Amino acid sequence: MEPQKKYFNIKILVEIAIVFLTILSIKHLADYFDVIGAGSIAIWCGIIVSTIFMKQKKINWKELGPKIPKGTKNWMINILIALGTVILVFSIMGLIVKPILESFGLTNPAGVADRFAFFMGKPLVFIGYLITVVWFGAALGEELLFRGYLLNRLVDCTGNNTLGIIIALIIHAVIFGMLHIYQGLAGVIATGCIALIFGSVYFIIKRKLFPIIIAHGIINSFSLIGLYLNNGVVS
């Protein structure tokens, strides 16, 4: 039985590699043509490819947690979890991660905000970007792909136990961070830490994805609104 398990693990790793090679290829192509929201487009292409693999194994997205709550009580619980996650992320990043990064002289590259210059002073464009890229692309798309798909497939490789989950969390956080390399080393580490927090909460709340999607959207919205109100200057 052991050789069969090893072979199955290799198949999963090849599957994950194909999904992320697709993402990187689409992202590179979209960036080449200066397409707005290139990352979100690439993420959703990755979701399409991962869906094809999941269908082959008869895995449904609903099994991975993106269920909309039913009833007022469940909605309240999910919103509270989301807000708690937002507070947790801002607290850890602001009180621990950011000071450590700054102590090593690690900051975001000077031109990291230039990619958002196109909507500065254009409120309608900014709102459109928030809805389509920040919420649909990043919050929904990234959570489906990274916490829903990637993290669960990695656990299938590493084992559905405490050690296996910890290893899967670290690997998925490294991948998530590396995909934000345009933010420099500080951005890679910061986003990797956020992925660890999101992933940990995901397992703590028994793989419910909806609160993480909401938390992700709120955090990204706050960051982008702050950037917009500060005229594109990263503070």
Side-chain angles (χ1 to χ4, degrees), residues 16-17 37 46 58 68 74 76 90 120-121 134 141 170 172 180 195 201-202 205 223 229:
I16 292 171
K58 297 181 180 180
I68 297 176
N74 284 330
M76 290 298 296
F90 279 134
M120 291 301 164
V134 172
I170 293 171
H172 113 283
H180 292 79
V201 172
Y202 175 66
I205 62 176
S223 301
L229 295 177

Side-chain angles (χ1 to χ4, degrees), residues 39-158:
S40 295
I41 294 171
I43 289 295
W44 278 97
C45 288
I47 289 173
I48 292 171
V49 175
S50 62
T51 301
I52 294 172
F53 283 122
M54 287 165 57
K55 281 190 174 182
Q56 292 175 351
K57 297 172 180 63
K58 297 181 180 180
I59 300 173
N60 193 295
W61 278 108
K62 288 184 179 180
E63 298 173 26
L64 306 181
K67 296 179 182 178
I68 297 176
K70 293 182 179 179
T72 304
K73 182 180 178 180
N74 284 330
W75 265 99
M76 290 298 296
I77 292 172
N78 277 264
I79 294 300
L80 287 173
I81 292 172
L83 293 176
T85 303
V86 171
I87 294 170
L88 182 65
V89 169
F90 279 134
S91 299
I92 292 176
M93 299 307 294
L95 299 176
I96 301 174
V97 177
K98 187 177 180 180
I100 291 175
L101 291 176
E102 289 177 347
S103 69
F104 285 98
L106 295 175
T107 57
N108 289 325
V112 70
D114 292 348
R115 65 207 318 264
F116 303 116
F118 70 93
F119 60 57
M120 291 301 164
K122 302 173 182 177
L124 292 180
V125 176
F126 174 67
I127 292 171
Y129 187 86
L130 270 180
I131 295 171
T132 57
V133 177
V134 172
W135 279 91
F136 184 74
L140 178 58
E142 289 183 6
E143 290 311 314
L144 283 175
L145 186 67
F146 285 95
R147 259 57 70 183
Y149 168 76
L150 177 62
L151 199 46
N152 281 288
R153 297 306 280 150
L154 286 172
V155 167
D156 287 339
C157 282
T158 58

